[in-house]
Amino acid sequence: MVALEEIGVLGTSLPCLWSLVSIVGEAIAAFGTEEQKLHILAPMLRGELAAAEALTEPRGGSDFFAATTVARRDGDSFLLTGQKRFVSGPRAPT
C-alpha cells in the first residue's frame, strides 16, 4: 500500500496499472497451469507483458459474483459470451 500511495502521488493511472499485475497475477498463481505461470505470469512480473482486467458489466457493475460473461473452451481457443463495460489495462498495439 505504501508503494501504491507513493506511485500515485502524481495521479492514479500508474498505480492502477501497477496493481493489475497483482490482481491478474494472483489469479494465475492460484489457478493457472504451470505453462501459464511460465509464459504469462513470469514475463508479467518482469514487466515484459502487460496485464488487463475486464470485470465491470452493464448490469452488475464490478460485482464479481454478479458477472454473467462465460468463457467456453472451443478446441485450442475460448469463446466468450457476455458484455463488459470497460477493460482496465494498457491499450493493445495496433
Side-chain angles (χ1 to χ4, degrees), residues 5-85:
E5 183 177 342
E6 289 299 318
I7 291 171
V9 168
L10 299 176
T12 59
S13 59
L14 185 57
C16 286
L17 183 59
W18 188 66
S19 68
L20 277 175
V21 174
S22 174
I23 295 167
V24 175
E26 185 175 343
I28 295 171
F31 304 108
T33 65
E34 291 305 315
E35 183 179 1
Q36 290 169 328
K37 292 174 185 176
L38 178 66
H39 293 291
I40 299 170
L41 182 59
M44 196 168 52
L45 293 173
R46 289 192 301 263
E48 300 166 356
L49 185 64
E53 171 195 35
L55 175 60
T56 305
E57 294 186 347
R59 293 189 184 139
S62 295
D63 180 0
F64 176 79
F65 294 104
T68 59
T69 298
V70 175
R72 183 176 52 83
R73 185 178 288 280
D74 182 28
D76 291 336
S77 301
F78 283 89
L79 295 175
L80 300 175
T81 57
Q83 296 180 343
K84 294 298 176 183
R85 180 67 56 160

